[in-house]
Amino acid sequence: MRILVTGGAGFLGSNLCRRLLKEGHTVVCLDNLYTGRKENIQDLLNLQNFKFVEADIVNGIDLDEGFDWVFNLACPASPPAYQKDPLYTIMVNVIGVFNVCEFALKKGARVFHTSTSEVYGDPEVIPQNESYKGSVNTIGIRACYDEGKRCAETILSDYKRSKGLEIKIVRVFNTYGPYMSSDDGRVITNFVTQALKGEPITIYGDGSQTRSFCYVDDQIDAWMKFIQTDSTVTGPMNVGMPSEISVLDVAYLILKMTNSQSQIIFKNLPEDDPKRRLPDISFAKQELNWEPKVSLAEGLEKTMEYLKENLKVS
Ligand code: UDP
């Protein structure tokens, strides 16, 4: 297959490119390097079946070659990154997604779009299944991402309904692993970096809020199965780890695993920070015969190895 990966130099994007190349596909990675990093794909640049194009989906996609699949991952995804320029985040998810849909339609390609658990906002329902409509503060600081991603799902669904575009929508729950940027501001990268450097571990709020953490290889296994399903299976489909852990317990686990003497300090909880997040993955289990295999301890071990190498700390 010839495959376009937008946002292919980011954390998930670079892991996906590697997986697609391993399976023998030809990959074009398009990224504007807003949060993506050239170093994530450095070792792929001289491969024959890989090409990097520096471009922004907001400005349209201009590629002559044909494509079978388009994976749309382009979007700043960590809270500090998507809140840095909120209007741009909205544009990526609205104008950018229009451009992706038009491009895929022109090429006759199937679009695989990465949506997010953030479409559920600060959920009142635990666990969240795909029919839960969510609870998003439309005027809050997370809305540029949450509402942007919700609108993206709408755009894709209307392209399918009115123009027959083939779509797959995955709702990605918190995912971690190698090729995350140590300074992306997310909880796992922050805590691991702080623990390795002996700096204070910054808990926002009292740390009782929960997340569920899926290792990147598990996440991408699900995508590879989903992209190959019949065209009637469009999603949205939750993909994530179906077990919850509090932020405070993540800190304790990382402190223990790194043998770190770092202190724990408490900071203000950011506005609209979701209290609990837990996917119901029954739909993915049923359609894909998939569930995550890698435990948090096992995945953290591999992530730490990568971050250690990156931070050059012993
Ligand atoms: N968090 C924290 N300390 C940090 C970074 C994040 O306590 O240094 C908390 C954050 O407030 C949230 C959770 O960890 O409750 C997950 O944050 P992250 O930015 O990784 O992703 P989110 O799931 O909120 O999009």
Side-chain angles (χ1 to χ4, degrees):
M1 298 279 182
R2 290 191 56 82
I3 302 169
L4 174 64
V5 180
T6 75
F11 156 52
L12 290 174
S14 56
N15 276 282
L16 175 64
C17 288
R18 278 191 176 74
R19 174 68 181 265
L20 294 170
L21 290 165
K22 214 163 124 192
E23 298 199 357
H25 300 294
T26 297
V27 176
V28 175
C29 161
L30 184 145
D31 202 302
N32 66 349
L33 305 179
Y34 183 80
T35 55
R37 298 178 302 160
K38 201 88 178 270
E39 67 217 64
N40 284 351
I41 51 163
Q42 202 62 47
D43 55 318
L44 309 178
L45 291 175
N46 51 11
L47 298 178
Q48 277 226 307
N49 52 346
F50 182 81
K51 187 169 93 177
F52 172 66
V53 176
E54 190 171 339
D56 186 335
I57 58 166
V58 169
N59 302 327
I61 305 173
D62 183 19
L63 297 168
D64 293 334
E65 57 264 59
F67 290 95
D68 304 294
W69 298 340
V70 174
F71 282 86
N72 183 43
L73 279 70
C75 184
S78 80
Y82 71 64
Q83 287 164 19
K84 197 170 86 184
D85 186 351
L87 296 175
Y88 175 68
T89 300
I90 297 171
M91 284 202 283
V92 172
N93 284 300
V94 178
I95 301 170
V97 170
F98 264 107
N99 289 336
V100 167
C101 289
E102 281 299 324
F103 179 79
L105 207 57
K106 196 167 80 187
K107 302 286 182 184
R110 175 176 281 199
V111 178
F112 183 101
H113 174 73
T114 49
S115 187
T116 166
S117 54
E118 282 288 321
V119 299
Y120 302 122
D122 189 4
E124 300 118 327
V125 173
I126 310 290
Q128 296 85 52
N129 71 27
E130 291 84 353
S131 59
Y132 175 52
K133 302 291 187 295
S135 164
V136 176
N137 172 12
T138 59
I139 56 170
I141 57 169
R142 294 176 86 102
C144 58
Y145 186 71
D146 300 9
E147 293 294 347
K149 287 283 188 181
R150 287 167 69 96
C151 187
E153 289 195 6
T154 310
I155 295 167
L156 282 146
S157 303
D158 279 321
Y159 262 92
K160 175 185 160 48
R161 268 190 294 266
S162 60
K163 301 188 187 249
L165 183 68
E166 261 198 64
I167 62 165
K168 309 269 178 205
I169 299 173
V170 64
R171 289 182 177 157
V172 179
F173 281 67
N174 295 61
T175 300
Y176 67 99
Y179 299 100
M180 283 183 107
S181 166
S182 60
D183 61 358
D184 71 1
R186 286 186 171 118
V187 66
I188 287 190
T189 39
N190 272 8
F191 288 2
V192 170
T193 305
Q194 291 160 347
L196 292 175
K197 289 184 166 172
E199 292 170 357
I201 306 282
T202 53
I203 306 269
Y204 301 160
D206 62 6
S208 63
Q209 70 271 35
T210 71
R211 293 295 185 269
S212 57
F213 295 98
C214 181
Y215 187 63
V216 62
D217 290 355
D218 280 333
Q219 181 69 236
I220 287 176
D221 278 347
W223 299 6
M224 294 311 295
K225 289 183 165 203
F226 189 13
I227 187 74
Q228 294 176 82
T229 52
D230 187 84
S231 62
T232 53
V233 187
T234 59
M237 182 186 282
N238 289 342
V239 174
M241 181 65 121
S243 61
E244 262 175 306
I245 179 167
S246 72
V247 163
L248 198 55
D249 283 341
V250 173
Y252 289 139
L253 180 60
I254 290 174
L255 280 173
K256 193 168 140 215
M257 290 180 71
T258 50
N259 221 351
S260 169
Q261 300 303 309
S262 287
Q263 303 294 308
I264 286 184
I265 59 167
F266 293 88
K267 295 195 155 192
N268 289 339
L269 188 68
E271 186 188 311
D272 291 335
D273 199 279
K275 282 178 278 306
R276 288 180 73 184
R277 191 183 283 149
L278 178 68
D280 176 339
I281 59 164
S282 323
F283 182 50
K285 269 186 179 163
Q286 172 204 314
E287 285 297 329
L288 312 179
N289 190 24
W290 169 91
E291 61 186 317
K293 297 191 187 82
V294 182
S295 70
L296 183 56
E298 221 179 313
L300 276 177
E301 202 64 63
K302 295 182 188 176
T303 309
M304 279 177 203
E305 246 169 67
Y306 170 81
L307 288 172
K308 234 186 225 174
E309 182 54 33
N310 249 246
L311 292 168
K312 299 275 180 277
V313 290
S314 53

